[in-house]
Amino acid sequence: MADMSKITITFRKAPDYKIYPATGCWGGPTPNGEVLMNVVVDHASLPSYQTHTVSGETVNLAQAEETVSSGDGDKEILCGVLFTARDAVSVGDWLMKQGKLMLDKLGGQPQ
């Protein structure tokens, strides 16, 4: 019979593994009782479109006649993570612990 007093767990990265810079999260409970966390990054809005004047055969793309944006800022959704309620609480606790450890190392000052 196998010795069950120890187990070994290996870690692997998925082929599409990526690190995303995040400035926040957006989401909440789903109709199925799970918690959806969308990882977002905040940035200035990109223009929806620009209008440029054609002069002869040239266009000066550095000088727009009109720039239209949909808002002042965007929350770009990078990815979503779906948790059970229990796992969401566990991950939240882990994130709080890691954040507090890093703040302690930085002398209480966020970067």
Side-chain angles (χ1 to χ4, degrees):
M1 185 164 217
D3 178 12
M4 295 304 292
S5 62
K6 292 184 182 181
I7 61 170
T8 301
I9 298 172
T10 59
F11 291 79
R12 291 183 291 126
K13 289 182 183 175
D16 58 346
Y17 172 82
K18 295 178 185 177
I19 294 177
Y20 293 103
T23 55
C25 300
W26 187 265
T30 70
N32 294 331
E34 296 151 329
V35 177
L36 177 61
M37 177 185 73
N38 290 301
V39 177
V40 302
V41 64
D42 297 317
H43 57 79
S45 289
L46 295 172
S48 298
Y49 65 86
Q50 289 183 326
T51 303
H52 298 271
T53 301
V54 178
S55 176
E57 294 183 12
T58 63
V59 177
N60 181 356
L61 294 178
Q63 193 68 30
E65 196 173 290
E66 178 185 28
T67 299
V68 176
S69 297
S70 60
D72 297 320
D74 285 341
K75 282 193 179 297
E76 183 176 348
I77 299 172
L78 303 175
C79 67
V81 183
L82 191 64
F83 296 102
T84 65
R86 181 172 283 130
D87 288 343
V89 170
S90 177
V91 169
D93 290 345
W94 181 84
L95 279 171
M96 291 294 291
K97 181 180 176 185
Q98 299 309 310
K100 287 175 183 176
L101 284 171
M102 187 52 64
L103 285 176
D104 288 346
K105 286 184 179 184
L106 297 172
Q109 299 298 315
Q111 288 185 344

